[in-house]
DNA sequence: CAGTGGTCTAGACCACACA
DNA sequence: GTGTGGTCTAGACCACTGC
């Protein structure tokens, strides 16, 4: 009494992971069925099920009906990447956050952008350019377009003190988002804003969000040299 | 009969998401308790629980005992990033994969690397440089160090036909992994391997894996210009 | 203290995929 | 067909935490 309070699905996960690590169950091995494991661990099948389901979601094992459960050969483990607001990111490492609005204009988008945002012929967008500083050093240059048709009150919003990101997050929901990262050489404009040499390698993040097939916003985030996107998994 | 087969946790997720989207439950709203929702949907509490637990894992809602469940104000949604093997990535978009070993040597690591890999004084590493081609164009240049103390049979492995990544994945387990991405200007060596101009912006991925506090391997992956790391969430 | 979520159980039926 | 995982139920007890 007291020692074996209850068998938790966590215990089972740990036990299974341990056996995979110490090669009792090497890659490709067929694991015992749920009923068998439930007997071994002295718990209900549902408990084993939850443990194995989570391991499967984490990409450690592969489950198929009738075929059974196998240890994944190539653990295509999913990295979980938290994408924070710039402000939180900067304050997170103890620097002072400062924001500045650089440019603001309602425009008819050029063709390339219209395609990318899948806009209709007459639809206009609000174009914004902002700078985010960490301890007075430029940290991120934000080049953003917002679909006025989807966010009709955005032209009235005041972005002189707060960035559009925080405004959008609190005000406009979205259903899908896509993000991609790449490296580019700084154009003269970007170089000027970020205080780097033209042509210098800059880390670029692009993000688009949709609200049921309609583009809400598309943004390019240019990070200062030396920026690293980090993740553990 | 036939219409209402069974209320699935998926149905409940959809229903809740719909109400969040149409602002019935705006950001910060306190949702009804599990029992109440179970009654409304005509199902067991466990079913509602699973739906809400998954929404919570996805970062849509925030749950606290006694306090209840609320719609997240700032959906710091977690992006799930699948990091595939290069081969799979290249073949995935229909290109032919080709591999070449460029360099291979057992060395005593320089100081910087020893710190980064947290190696002991006498420990040696296997240094490998490889190229991964997509349709005969250089796609990725791989610069890797493997801890021989942790992977004792790596010096005997043959990496002339297959890359070390695939070998390691199939052979050596790990408990923790860290990955980071950045942009750098191509050094002359990297430029030569990737067929780009020196100084051109290159996308760099760094990855380190550990087996219980001991570094297994550290690798720098330099991608061809124009490479984009994509993710949906 | 009391309410809400977190988890476990025992049993059941179903869906899929392989033989 | 038949075995394996996928899911639901009804009920129970527990753990945390806000009041």
């Amino acid at each position: 009494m007291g020692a074996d309070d209850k068998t938790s699905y966590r215990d089972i996960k740990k036990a299974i992971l341990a056996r995979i690590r110490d090669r009792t169950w090497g890659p490709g091995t067929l694991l015992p069925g749920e009923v068998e494991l439930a007997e071994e661990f002295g718990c209900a099948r549902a408990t084993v099920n939850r443990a194995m389901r989570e391991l499967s979601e984490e990409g450690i094992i592969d489950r198929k009906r009738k075929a059974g459960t196998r240890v994944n050969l190539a653990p295509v483990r999913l990295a979980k990447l938290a994408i924070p607001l710039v402000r939180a990111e900067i304050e997170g490492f103890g620097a002072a956050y400062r924001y500045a609005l650089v440019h603001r204009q309602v425009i008819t988008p050029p063709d390339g952008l219209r395609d990318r945002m899948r806009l209709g012929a007459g639809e206009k967008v609000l174009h914004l350019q902002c700078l985010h500083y960490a301890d007075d050093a430029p940290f991120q240059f934000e080049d953003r377009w917002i679909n006025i048709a989807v966010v009709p009150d955005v032209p009235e919003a005041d972005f002189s003190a707060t960035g559009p990101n925080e405004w959008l997050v609190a005000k406009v929901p979205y259903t899908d988002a896509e993000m991609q990262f790449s490296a580019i050489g700084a154009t003269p404009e970007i170089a000027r804003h970020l205080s780097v040499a033209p042509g210098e390698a800059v880390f670029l993040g692009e993000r688009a969000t949709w609200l049921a097939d309609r583009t809400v916003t598309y943004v390019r985030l240019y990070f200062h040299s030396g920026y690293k996107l980090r993740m553990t998994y």
Side-chain angles (χ1 to χ4, degrees), chain A:
Chain A
M1 306 108 170
D4 54 340
D5 277 349
K6 257 304 173 38
T7 344
S8 152
Y9 74 97
R10 287 167 215 272
D11 301 330
I12 298 178
K13 274 181 80 171
K14 277 182 204 156
I16 294 176
L17 271 175
R19 291 187 198 176
I20 291 176
R21 268 190 218 129
D22 71 18
R23 300 271 150 168
T24 304
W25 292 331
T29 306
L30 179 67
L31 268 57
E34 295 191 350
V35 264
E36 192 175 331
L37 284 175
E39 275 174 33
E40 185 197 326
F41 290 110
C43 66
R45 181 166 82 95
T47 308
V48 174
N49 180 280
R50 174 152 183 199
M52 293 181 96
R53 173 166 26 97
E54 292 198 357
L55 287 172
S56 158
E57 281 165 3
E58 289 162 25
I60 311 289
I61 58 179
D62 197 34
R63 318 196 74 194
K64 273 179 197 161
R65 285 168 158 137
K66 168 72 182 176
T69 302
R70 289 180 183 280
V71 178
N72 243 326
L73 291 169
V76 189
R77 291 167 68 164
L78 288 173
K80 283 184 181 171
L81 173 62
I83 299 166
L85 292 173
V86 216
R87 158 179 246 124
E89 190 169 12
I90 289 173
E91 290 173 342
F93 54 75
Y97 172 73
R98 189 162 66 80
Y99 161 83
L101 180 62
V102 173
H103 176 86
R104 175 207 183 105
Q105 194 176 8
V106 173
I107 57 164
T108 302
D111 289 357
L113 191 66
R114 194 166 63 229
D115 290 347
R116 195 184 275 268
M117 291 182 69
R118 303 177 204 162
L119 297 173
E123 295 185 318
K124 295 204 165 192
V125 295
L126 175 64
H127 180 205
L128 294 167
Q129 292 186 324
C130 328
L131 269 169
H132 305 271
Y133 297 87
D135 279 342
D136 291 325
F139 179 86
Q140 183 192 87
F141 173 59
E142 174 178 354
D143 205 3
R144 182 186 290 273
W145 293 266
I146 302 173
N147 190 349
I148 296 178
V150 175
V151 195
D153 43 346
V154 75
E156 280 77 48
D158 177 26
F159 294 123
S160 58
T162 325
N165 196 354
E166 303 186 35
W167 188 87
L168 284 167
V169 154
K171 207 133 195 301
V172 186
Y174 60 88
T175 52
D176 302 279
E178 187 184 304
M179 182 124 210
Q180 52 187 32
F181 300 96
S182 55
I184 63 156
T187 64
E189 184 191 20
I190 296 165
R192 185 161 40 81
H193 289 305
L194 286 180
S195 306
V196 300
E200 192 172 324
V202 162
F203 191 76
L204 167 62
E206 294 170 88
R207 186 181 140 109
T209 58
W210 290 276
L211 183 59
D213 285 10
R214 307 191 70 190
T215 305
V216 176
T217 183
Y218 167 68
V219 61
R220 293 194 189 131
L221 305 168
Y222 301 93
F223 289 84
H224 72 285
S225 310
Y227 177 78
K228 294 198 175 192
L229 180 71
R230 224 175 290 258
M231 64 193 81
T232 318
Y233 59 107

